[in-house]
Amino acid sequence: AFNAANEVAVGAFLDRRIPFDAIIKTVCAMLDKTDSIPLKTVADIVTFNETVRERTAAYISSVGSGKNGVKG
């Protein structure tokens, strides 16, 4: 979850959608919101990775509204 969230957050920073200090805030929020589940197959890992990436992107999209406190 950390790597997926971090990659999405860094991408958002490089695209100037979030400030630098929002990277760690975003990653921490995603780790807090992501349940630990057993990943038994490669398909499980791929699905989990995609889910975390989608949730992170949605979280970042809500930054502009100020709903999640990541605004820098």
Side-chain angles (χ1 to χ4, degrees), residues 9-49:
V10 168
F13 166 72
L14 293 175
D15 290 342
R16 299 178 184 225
R17 290 185 286 131
I18 63 172
F20 181 77
D21 65 341
I23 294 171
I24 191 65
K25 292 176 186 177
T26 300
V27 172
C28 287
M30 290 301 95
L31 291 176
D32 287 345
K33 294 177 183 217
T34 303
D35 294 328
S36 179
I37 59 171
L39 303 171
K40 297 178 181 179
T41 67
V42 172
D44 291 344
I45 295 167
V46 170
T47 300
F48 182 72
N49 184 56

